[in-house]
Amino acid sequence: MALGATHLSLALCLMALIVLVKADFDGKKEPINNILEQNSEMLTQDFCIFAAVGSVVAEAIGRERRMGASLIRLFFHDCFVDGCDAGILLDDIPGRFQGEKTSPPNNNSVRGFQVIDQAKQRIKTMCPGAAVSCADILALAARDSVAMLGGIPYPVSLGRRDARTANFTGALTQLPAPFDDLNVQLKKFSDKGMSAREMVALVGSHTVGFARCVTLCDDRNINPAMKSTLKCGCPVSNNNTNLVPLDLRTPDIFDKLYYEDLIRNQGLLFSDQVLMGSTATSDVVRTYNSNPALFLREFNDAMIKMGNLPPSRGVQLEIRNVCSKVNGNSIAEM
């Protein structure tokens, strides 16, 4: 009963933040962080942590709505490589350590690191003495992003720990790639304990966000039926930031139109469209398209499950003071 009450209070907190941020965007309220800081003494520690992270996420999405999709992806890319341990946040140390942040699937692609840093600092300001890991902040930021883009809030438990290392190679081998066929995707999700249905639910996050043109210039990555529709030219540089929406109609709203696009053979990425190649996944696509409420519920369930993926056995863990580097002067060997 107490657990349910806690989840209810946290959900109400998030709903209040969504209302506040909408008013803030409309110029009717003072900044959210000011409101929360003025009332921080009234908050329990967990409530304070949730409110602090939610306010930073709301401000970030208010500045750039795409950031919500980026934070969801950042959380996914963290958890799918050796568990939810914030390994993706660690900066490289030239000549000593190369982590996940600069691994090819993430380099010049995954973003939102500054939002996590800002959330960490706001927790220190608003919630003195609160011990919350960067891995927890990633989980909260993803959940808040889903809700603020139109999804349903879901409970996030605290208590994760941050790894003192990261896995450059693991990002290459464990993360699903845009050129992966259906069997490869199913194997990668199965390795994380995820069913085919949970995989289809999680990739539904492609209902928000964008792909870089440089990704789509590789014919392996794109649904052949969509190639002729692309308007972007691809420069030589891998730093190209030209973007194409993954959901062509509502790229900043968390809805079911991604699945409708797949049924119409209009999924942008090869890895998305191949979901229609087997009844094991295409039936789920059709179900979610006809029952959006079911999609939102099962997406939340899959996010909760993914958010509980543990760090690799034997990895040293801590609660980092700064999310981009380990505490102290040394980093664990890879």
Side-chain angles (χ1 to χ4, degrees):
M1 188 70 171
L3 182 61
T6 298
H7 286 163
L8 177 60
S9 66
L10 295 174
L12 290 172
C13 172
L14 180 58
M15 291 172 66
L17 281 168
I18 295 171
V19 172
L20 282 171
V21 74
K22 184 179 186 304
D24 190 35
F25 298 160
D26 294 339
K28 298 176 181 177
K29 296 285 184 180
E30 61 183 304
I32 294 171
N33 60 308
N34 291 349
I35 296 171
L36 292 172
E37 287 172 6
Q38 291 166 11
N39 295 280
S40 60
E41 293 182 1
M42 300 170 58
L43 305 176
T44 66
Q45 188 172 81
D46 282 1
F47 195 100
C48 184
I49 291 167
F50 277 65
V53 175
S55 66
V56 171
V57 172
E59 292 165 6
I61 293 175
R63 291 189 297 268
E64 180 197 14
R65 197 164 174 87
R66 176 188 167 215
M67 183 55 70
S70 297
L71 291 169
I72 297 168
R73 184 168 182 251
L74 182 60
F75 178 56
F76 181 93
H77 278 226
D78 180 53
C79 290
F80 244 67
V81 180
D82 298 341
C84 304
D85 62 1
I88 197 171
L89 303 180
L90 288 174
D91 286 339
D92 289 355
I93 302 175
R96 295 177 54 201
F97 169 75
Q98 188 173 27
E100 296 163 28
K101 186 180 287 189
T102 54
S103 188
N106 298 325
N107 196 32
N108 296 318
S109 175
V110 172
R111 58 200 293 270
F113 300 105
Q114 75 281 8
V115 178
I116 304 303
D117 291 339
Q118 290 164 7
K120 182 75 168 179
Q121 185 56 50
R122 186 159 299 172
I123 290 170
K124 292 179 180 179
T125 301
M126 285 180 50
C127 319
V132 59
S133 67
C134 301
D136 278 343
I137 295 172
L138 281 168
L140 292 171
R143 187 279 308 278
D144 294 351
S145 295
V146 170
M148 292 176 191
L149 294 179
I152 301 172
Y154 55 87
V156 173
S157 60
L158 303 181
R160 296 168 188 79
R161 293 294 181 265
D162 303 321
R164 288 182 58 82
T165 189
N167 191 344
F168 178 93
T169 302
L172 281 167
T173 59
Q174 297 176 43
L175 286 170
F179 53 78
D180 283 346
D181 65 27
L182 184 57
N183 288 332
V184 171
Q185 291 184 72
L186 288 168
K187 175 64 165 57
K188 288 181 177 179
F189 277 82
S190 177
D191 287 346
K192 305 302 177 183
M194 297 283 180
S195 68
R197 189 179 187 94
E198 289 167 330
M199 180 185 82
V200 177
L202 284 173
V203 298
S205 62
H206 287 178
T207 189
V208 291
F210 296 78
R212 295 183 303 154
C213 277
V214 69
T215 299
L216 302 176
C217 285
D218 187 334
D219 286 347
R220 299 176 305 162
N221 296 339
I222 189 172
N223 172 11
M226 296 298 291
K227 185 174 181 180
S228 63
T229 70
L230 296 179
K231 303 297 183 183
C232 61
C234 292
V236 175
S237 171
N238 283 333
N239 293 322
N240 174 39
T241 57
N242 292 333
L243 302 170
V244 177
L246 295 170
D247 175 341
L248 298 176
R249 289 171 287 174
T250 57
D252 59 359
I253 300 175
F254 206 93
D255 57 23
K256 62 94 175 184
L257 291 185
Y258 161 80
Y259 296 112
E260 186 175 312
D261 288 342
L262 297 186
I263 293 169
R264 297 164 61 189
N265 196 28
Q266 292 184 351
L268 184 63
L269 299 178
F270 173 81
S271 58
D272 286 340
Q273 194 58 51
V274 295
L275 296 179
M276 298 304 295
S278 167
T279 56
T281 48
S282 65
D283 285 353
V284 185
V285 170
R286 296 182 190 280
T287 297
Y288 288 158
N289 181 59
S290 62
N291 192 340
L294 178 65
F295 159 56
L296 293 176
R297 290 197 303 271
E298 295 195 354
F299 173 82
N300 286 359
D301 291 342
M303 286 288 281
I304 292 169
K305 182 174 179 178
M306 184 183 72
N308 289 325
L309 289 174
S312 295
R313 189 185 301 272
V315 169
Q316 296 180 36
L317 302 172
E318 63 185 7
I319 294 180
R320 290 184 210 139
N321 293 321
V322 176
C323 290
S324 60
K325 62 182 181 181
V326 300
N327 299 337
N329 298 319
S330 63
I331 193 160
E333 294 294 330
M334 292 290 286

